[in-house]
Structure formats: structure tokens, C-alpha cells
Amino acid sequence: MKVPFIDLKAQYVSIKNDIEEAVAQAIDSCAFAGGPFVEKFEKSFAQFCGCEYAIGVGSGTEAIWLSLLALGIGRGDEVITVPNSFIATAEAISFSGAKPVFVDIDETTCNIDVRQLVKAITPNTKAIIPVHLYGQMSDMDQIINIANQHDLFVIEDACQAHGATYRDQKAGTMGVTGCFSFYPGKNLGAYGDAGAVVTNDANLAQIIRYLRDHGQTAKYEHKAVGWNARMDGIQGAILDVKLKHLASWNYARGLHAAYYNRQLEGLDGIRIPEKLSANSHVYHIYSIFLENRDDVMEHLISKGVHCGIHYPIPIHLQPAYRQLNLAKGSFPRAELNSQMQLSLPMYPELKEEQIAYVVKTLEACLMPKSKPVYISKKTHHEPQSILDKVVATR
Ligand SMILES: Cc1ncc(COP(=O)(O)O)c(C=O)c1O
């Protein structure tokens, strides 16, 4: 049996007619860059999140970057985040001119360790960007308390958490802004790149609106130096169709995760991240942790089960961040996770028999040594050899 890591085609087929009609309408009205289809989606998305404003932009990276710029954060400032995110979180900080400062993660949730947060705050700290990794929100009450005590902004990286909640409050709406990616593989994915900032602050919303459009407040009147960070009209039209399905897609992900949990909990050699009791999780990624991750992954791939690693190299150890001089060992938990984490197939259209096959295949490589169903000749893989097999996903 083949089990893809994600199946964008299956989802497209299920909504094909509506998508084609929406795309045809957007093309027919020539509303290509921004425009009414983006505005309609912005209203629907703000309503979905339960907040006042949503501003469509070109990507999740731009959503974070423009949030920082709108808050006046830049050179000489420090912004705290985690080292086990997609690199975009740190890149957005760097592109604002500020310095990313990392805090290690909590080993049970894989989100920022709030116990270590205060130690990372300096007189230059301006903001905290918690990343709601894998689809569950960070410990927001604690983060907001600390931010209030130290007069810091909280910008939520909700790029993996569309529709997740913390004490019934939707991801993206607890910080001063919330940033979403609609990269195709996300829980709400466009058919190309797109993103959004959500906020309840009218002034910030206005600034982000003009920053995403070359700082333009009226035709050819440029109040500030901005950028071209608009959302495409076609993406707005597609996202508006897909948004109507997001709650049921998230529900399906939750069922699949519950099934995985039931089968995997208690098995020797596997650790499953914990969910905070305050959270509802939207399982953008279903993560497990294993000592022999690379061997297991190779075995799964050989049996047709495609997996991912999120993320194989923590940001502080990436060549791109060499200048921060953060040696191996700086963030031991994030580093350990990068060696042990494995993402199993997860998408709403996944079938129960596929999950059963994933579990069965996985169990085979966890079997006792007396049943050598799977014996690896290699004990250690060069990182690249395993990365070559990872399905392209963020
Ligand atoms: C946690 C996180 N932050 C930021 C981003 C950047 O989003 P985008 O790829 O839309 O720029 C992504 C996704 O790729 C992400 O997963």
C-alpha cells in the first residue's frame, strides 16, 4: 500500500467544481492582484478567527515580517522565538533588521518553554513570537503575562495552527497580531503562496494594509516605504471556497490523530508530544519521537509510507545563522527533537486502513530483537541521505 504524506489532489477533487467556478469568476473579473476576492476572503477569515481584521498578504513569512515592521521593530531590537520552527520565523525577524533570540522548547509540547522565556529578555527585547508548532497553541496565558510585565509585543506564528484554540480562543487572536501561511500543504492551503495577518487593532491593520502595497494609501501616494506583499485575487477566491471546509477538515485530522494515539500510545520506543489541556489541536502535523528515527523512516519509506521531519536542523545550527555564534548544545531539547522527530502521514482525506497500515508498518520496526523484521545495516545516516527522501513539505 502507498500512503502519501499529504494528498492535495484528493482534496482538490472533493471541491473541484466550486474551485473552478471561483477561479473562473476571479479571472473573468480580472481581479488579479488584491481586489474584491481577497477582500471577501479577509472578511470570512476574520470572522472564522473571531477577530476584527484580516489582511491578506503574499505568504506567512510576509505576515510575520509586516507585523514586525508595523510595530516599528527593527535594527537594534531583539525578538524572541524558538529554534525548532520553519526558518521563515527567524528570517522575518532578520529582515525587519532585528536580531532573533532563541529560547529552548518544552520537551512535552515542543512549543516555547515559558520557564526559560524571562531569562532571554534584555533591555533590547521588543517582541515574542511563539510558534504554535504542529497545530497546537503555545502556553499563551503565561506568554502574555510575561509580555505584559516586560512591555513586549506578542506576535503569534499561527502558520501551522488555523482554527486551533487555547481556552476557546482562536490561534492568532491572542497576540497583537497573528500570522498565517496558506502554503498549499497547510490546513488551509492556497493553490500557490499566500498568507494573512489577523488583528483586533485598527491602527495596525491599516499600517499593514498599506505596507503590503508599497506603502500606498491612495493611488501613487506612498506614506511609507513598503513592499509588494499583496495576496493574489485567484488565491483569495480559492481560499474563500476552502475556508468553508476548514472546520470539518480539522475535525477529520483530529479523528486521525486520535486513531494514531490509540494505536501508538504505550508502544516501546515511541514518544508522542503532549497536548496542553487548554488546547484544541488541529494536527497540521502528527509528530512522534523515536531513538532510531532515521532507520524507522527508511523502513517506512521502503514500505510506501511517506513521512517528513519537522525540522531536521534547528535554526541556530543552520549555516544561514552562523553569525549568531550559537554552538551545538545551546538548545538541547530542540536539538534532540531534530534528531528524533518524525511526521507521519496526516491529511483530512486519509483513510482508516491507511492509518492502520502506517501503524502496522511502524510496529514492525519497533519489534523486539528476537524478530528481526527490520535490521538496518547502517547505524548512522548522513543527514543528507535521509533528507533526500523527505517529502517536500513545510
Ligand atoms: C511555523 C511557520 N512559520 C512560518 C512559515 C512561513 O510561511 P510561508 O511559507 O507561507 O511563507 C511556515 C510555513 O511554511 C511555518 O510552518
Side-chain angles (χ1 to χ4, degrees):
M1 185 186 283
K2 288 239 179 308
V3 188
F5 183 64
I6 48 172
D7 190 347
L8 297 181
K9 187 72 183 275
Q11 189 170 83
Y12 168 59
V13 168
S14 73
I15 52 171
K16 192 168 185 291
N17 292 344
D18 290 349
I19 291 285
E20 285 179 357
E21 198 184 314
V23 170
Q25 276 176 17
I27 294 175
D28 202 50
S29 62
C30 296
F32 296 122
F37 293 90
V38 172
E39 282 165 27
K40 182 162 181 283
F41 169 67
E42 288 174 338
K43 284 205 179 77
S44 321
F45 193 61
Q47 199 172 21
F48 173 85
C49 292
C51 72
E52 289 291 324
Y53 311 100
I55 305 105
V57 293
S59 66
T61 314
E62 287 177 346
I64 303 169
W65 178 56
L66 294 184
S67 295
L68 291 160
L69 295 192
L71 290 164
I73 294 169
R75 191 170 299 192
D77 297 333
E78 292 175 4
V79 177
I80 296 174
T81 191
V82 284
N84 67 328
S85 180
F86 182 55
I87 194 166
T89 318
E91 276 176 332
I93 298 169
S94 300
F95 259 66
S96 77
K99 177 184 169 193
V101 171
F102 299 113
V103 164
D104 209 352
I105 54 167
D106 178 288
E107 71 269 39
T108 60
T109 63
C110 305
N111 281 332
I112 195 162
D113 183 354
V114 287
R115 293 161 304 189
Q116 298 195 39
L117 191 47
V118 176
K119 283 185 262 164
I121 297 172
T122 74
N124 296 328
T125 309
K126 291 289 177 315
I128 305 166
I129 307 187
V131 178
H132 304 325
L133 201 71
Y134 305 144
Q136 83 157 317
M137 289 176 68
S138 308
D139 197 347
M140 290 306 288
D141 279 352
Q142 306 252 36
I143 293 167
I144 287 170
N145 265 341
I146 294 169
N148 288 344
Q149 278 163 24
H150 295 266
D151 203 15
L152 306 175
F153 297 114
V154 176
I155 298 169
E156 291 176 68
D157 181 338
C159 289
Q160 300 190 2
H162 316 68
T165 61
Y166 177 93
R167 298 198 202 292
D168 293 330
Q169 201 164 339
K170 284 258 173 75
T173 64
M174 296 186 77
V176 63
T177 69
C179 304
F180 290 88
S181 164
F182 304 123
Y183 181 76
K186 299 295 193 222
N187 289 30
L188 179 62
Y191 289 176
D193 277 305
V197 181
V198 299
T199 184
N200 284 314
D201 184 320
N203 186 41
L204 267 184
Q206 195 195 12
I207 298 172
I208 293 167
R209 266 185 219 293
Y210 65 67
L211 285 180
R212 75 167 168 187
D213 190 20
H214 302 286
Q216 196 166 229
T217 43
K219 185 93 174 153
Y220 299 133
E221 284 177 32
H222 304 272
K223 184 172 173 155
V225 176
W227 200 252
N228 174 357
R230 295 178 298 249
M231 181 189 277
D232 286 349
I234 289 174
Q235 301 307 341
I238 290 167
L239 287 166
D240 205 44
V241 170
K242 293 187 75 178
L243 181 60
K244 297 181 182 80
H245 300 273
L246 179 57
S248 67
W249 287 336
N250 280 346
Y251 182 72
R253 285 174 184 270
L255 292 181
H256 301 332
Y259 187 94
Y260 270 132
N261 284 345
R262 279 198 303 278
Q263 304 298 315
L264 299 178
E265 258 160 15
L267 284 186
D268 275 351
I270 289 192
R271 182 168 65 80
I272 301 170
E274 284 171 25
K275 184 175 81 63
L276 288 182
S277 59
N279 274 344
S280 77
H281 196 316
V282 293
Y283 293 99
H284 173 55
I285 283 169
Y286 186 86
S287 234
I288 58 173
F289 294 89
L290 306 132
E291 291 282 349
N292 56 340
R293 189 268 315 274
D294 290 357
D295 288 345
V296 169
M297 182 166 181
E298 197 161 290
H299 175 67
L300 289 173
I301 291 171
S302 75
K303 298 289 179 196
V305 175
H306 285 266
C307 320
I309 300 175
H310 297 88
Y311 293 91
I313 306 171
I315 302 173
H316 67 285
L317 299 180
Q318 293 283 359
Y321 278 104
R322 203 182 286 123
Q323 75 279 11
L324 293 177
N325 285 322
L326 293 164
K328 251 191 191 162
S330 302
F331 306 103
R333 292 189 197 137
E335 289 170 29
L336 194 64
N337 270 16
S338 71
Q339 289 157 25
M340 294 176 69
Q341 193 275 345
L342 186 68
S343 307
L344 297 181
M346 171 56 82
Y347 50 91
E349 299 75 16
L350 196 59
K351 296 192 175 53
E352 202 166 295
E353 60 265 28
Q354 290 177 304
I355 305 179
Y357 178 73
V358 175
V359 170
K360 199 176 78 185
T361 314
L362 186 58
E363 273 175 343
C365 28
L366 300 171
M367 277 186 175
K369 289 186 189 68
S370 54
K371 290 187 187 169
V373 174
Y374 170 61
I375 300 170
S376 171
K377 293 194 190 72
K378 288 186 252 168
T379 52
H380 175 74
H381 300 275
E382 286 307 310
Q384 199 51 45
S385 66
I386 199 83
L387 289 186
D388 287 343
K389 294 176 184 146
V390 175
V391 177
T393 170
R394 296 186 199 171

